[in-house]
Amino acid sequence: MNRRDMLKAGLAAGALGLAPRLASAHAATYAPVPKGWRTYVLTTRVEPTAGANKAWIPLPTFEAPDWQRPGTVTWTGNARVAERVRDPKYGAEMLRVEWSGDQQSPMIEVVAQVQAQNRSVVPGKGNTAPLSDAERKLNLMPTTFLPTDGLVKETAEEIVRGKQGDVAKARAIYDWVVENTFRNAKTLGCGVGDITTMIRTGNLNGKCADLNALYVGLARSVGLPARDVYGIRVMPSEFGFKALGAGSEVVSKAQHCRAEVWLTGSGWTPVDPADVRKVVLEEPPTNLAMTDPKVVAARRALFGSWEGNWLAYNVAHDVKLPGSKEDPIAFFMYPQAENRAGFLDSLDPDKFKYRITARELTA
């Protein structure tokens, strides 16, 4: 199927999908709404191998008054240098660590306390203050893997053709991504988010950092401010969706990228088409049809809401880690460490080595 046929098929499927969504919505429940803050403790223990003497650990200090409140951050270890620093462009906060060259067993353990809760908005409804000019510019600009011209813009313009208003355009892009992409279990980590290659080849597959990046890039290219939000799942889903929660207290591989689009009225509006495709692939009994009640429920909810069983690190792209000799990384969602040869493999916590655990504080 060529790209133009793919566009037409996806738009048609999106329209046809409305009827089964309405018919079967009562059969499954996935409806996050704010109902109180939960307090989590996220512990990241890093003991890098292979002669690494530098590390950077993302901190869950992203602040959003209605859904995340960062708390205290403490650390212990044998580092020569350990300091909290911020990416100057996006404000992504991290702990920058250096060990002495003769340190035999480098170690740092970071403990962060964070409050989070479910969030839910009606897209385009409400009285959120306007987005500042600086924020609008930042969240419309291209990045290395998120161009806003060429094939990306051409594809987005076809998707939103005939749609009136930002809400309708944002929804059309969401439906298109849900209908045309698929989650690829073989993709390493969360993917890389190279959306031009995805569109050019027609291989619209990957994981959250690919599929939600596709949403963000398409939205930006037609004038909708949007951003990826990089974070980590910390608890099971309260609705029993196995695919949408952490499976144990060890969350070293539970990183997840979400997305937001700015809509007048509702402000930063949560969207997560990648998690819809995760439900399709992974929710028991797996490989569900788009008309399955669980898929229908997730698809309906994930345009305007998400669960508070996940913590946000940052919204940063093209991050140059301070003190690193390596090129910028596409996004910062995993611990990073560096030796003389370059970065260790951040997607392999066992060899790297790091361990992330999460627990909830209850009264």
Side-chain angles (χ1 to χ4, degrees):
M1 180 182 293
N2 64 38
R3 191 172 58 82
R4 185 169 296 278
D5 289 341
M6 177 181 68
L7 277 167
K8 292 178 179 178
L11 293 169
L16 292 173
L18 292 175
R21 279 210 302 278
L22 294 172
S24 59
H26 68 280
T29 300
Y30 187 78
V33 294
K35 59 180 185 180
W37 294 92
R38 301 169 71 179
T39 302
Y40 304 114
V41 176
L42 189 71
T43 301
T44 305
R45 185 180 180 91
V46 176
E47 300 174 85
T49 59
N53 67 344
K54 296 179 182 179
W56 299 263
I57 297 125
L59 301 178
T61 52
F62 186 86
E63 187 169 4
D66 59 335
W67 58 271
Q68 180 162 302
R69 298 171 177 170
T72 59
V73 177
T74 60
W75 58 87
T76 57
N78 54 18
R80 180 177 64 86
V81 174
E83 61 176 353
R84 289 174 68 165
V85 296
R86 288 181 179 270
D87 167 73
K89 185 173 183 178
Y90 294 94
E93 191 164 5
M94 66 195 79
L95 189 72
R96 185 184 76 86
V97 182
E98 291 185 15
W99 289 275
S100 300
D102 59 355
Q103 181 66 54
Q104 294 300 306
S105 300
M107 186 277 289
I108 194 83
E109 183 172 277
V110 185
V111 179
Q113 186 168 306
V114 190
Q115 288 188 315
Q117 70 169 341
N118 294 347
R119 62 187 301 208
S120 180
V121 303
V122 178
K125 303 293 185 181
N127 56 359
T128 302
L131 191 64
S132 71
D133 290 343
E135 282 291 294
R136 180 173 295 276
K137 180 180 179 181
L138 179 65
N139 292 287
L140 284 173
M141 69 172 46
T143 71
T144 298
F145 287 131
L146 293 182
T148 56
D149 58 2
L151 283 176
V152 176
K153 185 174 180 62
E154 179 185 335
T155 302
E157 288 178 342
E158 186 71 23
I159 293 169
V160 303
R161 191 179 306 280
K163 303 298 180 183
Q164 300 298 317
D166 288 352
V167 175
K169 292 176 182 178
R171 179 72 202 214
I173 296 171
Y174 174 82
D175 283 334
W176 187 88
V177 174
V178 168
E179 292 287 351
N180 285 278
T181 65
F182 68 92
R183 181 177 173 87
N184 187 345
K186 295 181 179 179
T187 298
L188 295 178
C190 290
V192 296
D194 184 355
I195 65 173
T196 296
T197 298
M198 293 170 68
I199 294 172
R200 185 180 68 249
T201 63
N203 295 325
L204 301 178
N205 70 88
K207 289 185 180 173
C208 56
D210 300 306
L211 308 190
N212 283 340
L214 183 59
Y215 181 89
V216 170
L218 292 169
R220 288 185 180 188
S221 73
V222 289
L224 299 175
R227 62 190 185 186
D228 292 291
V229 190
Y230 299 101
I232 190 166
R233 303 186 202 268
V234 292
M235 289 290 144
S237 167
E238 67 178 271
F239 300 98
F241 277 60
K242 183 178 180 181
L244 302 185
S248 75
E249 69 171 11
V250 179
V251 295
S252 304
K253 296 183 179 181
Q255 290 82 4
H256 178 56
C257 165
R258 286 178 159 167
E260 294 179 311
V261 60
W262 178 271
L263 299 173
T264 300
S266 54
W268 284 118
T269 301
V271 292
D272 198 342
D275 258 359
V276 180
R277 299 307 311 195
K278 193 170 194 283
V279 170
V280 170
L281 181 67
E282 297 182 7
E283 191 64 26
T286 71
N287 295 309
L288 305 180
M290 291 300 292
T291 54
D292 185 280
K294 290 183 178 179
V295 177
V296 170
R299 179 174 179 172
R300 183 180 61 250
L302 290 170
F303 184 77
S305 65
W306 68 43
E307 278 190 80
N309 62 340
W310 168 91
L311 302 177
Y313 286 127
N314 58 69
V315 295
H317 290 272
D318 298 340
V319 183
K320 175 63 176 175
L321 297 174
S324 172
K325 65 179 184 293
E326 298 298 306
D327 292 335
I329 56 177
F331 51 82
F332 186 42
M333 188 164 52
Y334 304 89
Q336 300 283 341
E338 184 179 284
N339 62 16
R340 290 183 178 180
F343 286 135
L344 275 59
D345 184 358
S346 63
L347 304 182
D348 191 344
D350 294 332
K351 289 183 179 179
F352 179 106
K353 103 189 194 191
Y354 63 84
R355 189 172 190 262
I356 308 175
T357 58
R359 61 187 176 92
E360 183 174 3
L361 294 181
T362 57

